[in-house]
Amino acid sequence: MEHTDKEYCLEVWGDFACFTRPELKVERVSYDVITPSAARAIFEAVLFKKYAMRWQVTKIEVLNPILWTSVRRNEVGATASAKSAGIYIEEKRQQKNTLLLKDVRYRIWAQLVYIPVSERPKAAFDKRPPGNDENPMKYYQMFERRASQGQCFTQPYLGTREFAASFRLVNPTVKVLPPPLSADQGGDRDLGFMLYDMDFSNPKDIQALFYRAVMKGGVIIVPPIDSKEVLR
């Protein structure tokens, strides 16, 4: 069955956000704006069905001016494992400074990419075969219903889990929306190379993907994951 992947828009906001730069190891420093991977995770918090669909972020609109603040947080400098005897937090506690964003608000656009049954791996049918009602409209309606009612499987967050995100589904029939940042508000800037997402297709060789993020008039166009603009 031929179909066109449907595009949706969520407006998300929160008091604080931290989209950590991976190149800075000791102190946490946020990117200037939300990353495509963080935007994708917000959509997935509302609806995600493994093997049947995926989200492709297409555009990010920055609505509030980019403001910064810093906090000092207690973190644990070790990871527990099944082989360890546990972690004594007082011995592993570390205080780290975090440079984060405050009072953020974005409109993020993404396509719900439906994966036809014929293109799914065999692992998709191990536990439960697809039903007779398997079609893209099924997932479109599920997302629209859940997003319009504010339902989510997990609490969406802005970079780190302690910074919860509020969200609402933007009605596509509304033609007049609050404009994104203008050039006078700092809406035109080259954000440099930014983390795009992580490629988990090969568990033995997980790769970080990057792209050159440029904001014009408060709008960042996100290329497709298979685009030449995405660097491995």
Side-chain angles (χ1 to χ4, degrees):
M1 179 178 64
E2 295 184 358
H3 66 278
T4 301
D5 298 323
K6 195 169 182 179
E7 189 174 46
Y8 292 100
C9 178
L10 290 179
E11 184 173 338
V12 300
W13 63 93
D15 295 330
F16 300 101
C18 183
F19 310 107
T20 307
R21 291 177 175 269
E23 68 269 22
L24 302 176
K25 302 295 184 181
V26 179
E27 306 292 343
R28 290 183 182 271
V29 178
S30 176
Y31 283 110
D32 294 30
V33 300
I34 188 172
T35 61
S37 58
R40 170 187 55 77
I42 293 176
F43 277 91
E44 289 183 349
V46 180
L47 178 67
F48 178 69
K49 298 295 182 180
K50 190 175 182 180
Y51 302 125
M53 55 162 288
R54 65 178 179 85
W55 288 103
Q56 173 63 60
V57 178
T58 58
K59 183 170 63 175
I60 298 170
E61 295 179 295
V62 183
L63 303 182
N64 284 359
I66 299 173
L67 304 175
W68 299 88
T69 189
S70 62
V71 298
R72 186 173 291 275
R73 301 189 297 178
N74 289 325
E75 299 185 5
V76 177
T79 303
S81 67
K83 297 180 179 180
S84 68
I87 296 177
Y88 185 56
I89 294 179
E90 295 302 326
E91 294 181 351
K92 301 296 182 179
R93 189 187 304 277
Q94 298 177 351
Q95 277 200 338
K96 292 186 177 182
N97 189 62
T98 302
L99 183 62
L100 49 84
L101 302 167
K102 65 177 182 179
D103 190 23
V104 300
R105 184 178 291 266
Y106 308 105
R107 276 196 303 265
I108 52 179
W109 300 75
Q111 286 183 329
L112 194 163
V113 180
Y114 173 75
I115 302 175
V117 176
S118 59
E119 298 179 11
R120 299 177 192 177
K122 293 182 179 180
F125 312 110
D126 290 344
K127 294 183 178 179
R128 183 180 179 183
N132 296 328
D133 61 342
E134 191 71 7
N135 64 86
M137 184 58 66
K138 167 185 173 181
Y139 297 98
Y140 298 157
Q141 293 177 345
M142 288 172 63
F143 177 78
E144 292 170 8
R145 181 178 66 254
R146 293 181 60 80
S148 62
Q149 296 176 358
Q151 297 177 331
C152 51
F153 289 106
T154 59
Q155 175 62 50
Y157 55 89
L158 296 164
T160 56
R161 292 188 182 276
E162 61 263 45
F163 301 142
S166 301
F167 71 93
R168 72 177 183 90
L169 180 65
V170 176
N171 189 338
T173 62
V174 177
K175 296 183 179 180
V176 180
L177 295 171
L181 288 181
S182 63
D184 295 338
Q185 296 173 306
D188 289 355
R189 63 178 72 181
D190 187 339
L191 301 170
F193 285 100
M194 178 182 290
L195 179 68
Y196 183 94
D197 214 324
M198 301 297 293
D199 183 3
F200 294 98
S201 58
N202 183 359
K204 296 182 179 180
D205 185 23
I206 299 174
Q207 296 183 351
L209 309 180
F210 294 86
Y211 82 114
R212 187 68 175 266
V214 178
M215 180 167 62
K216 295 183 179 180
V219 179
I220 303 169
I221 302 300
V222 181
I225 194 169
D226 56 355
S227 169
K228 294 182 179 179
E229 298 177 52
V230 178
L231 307 177
R232 297 176 181 269

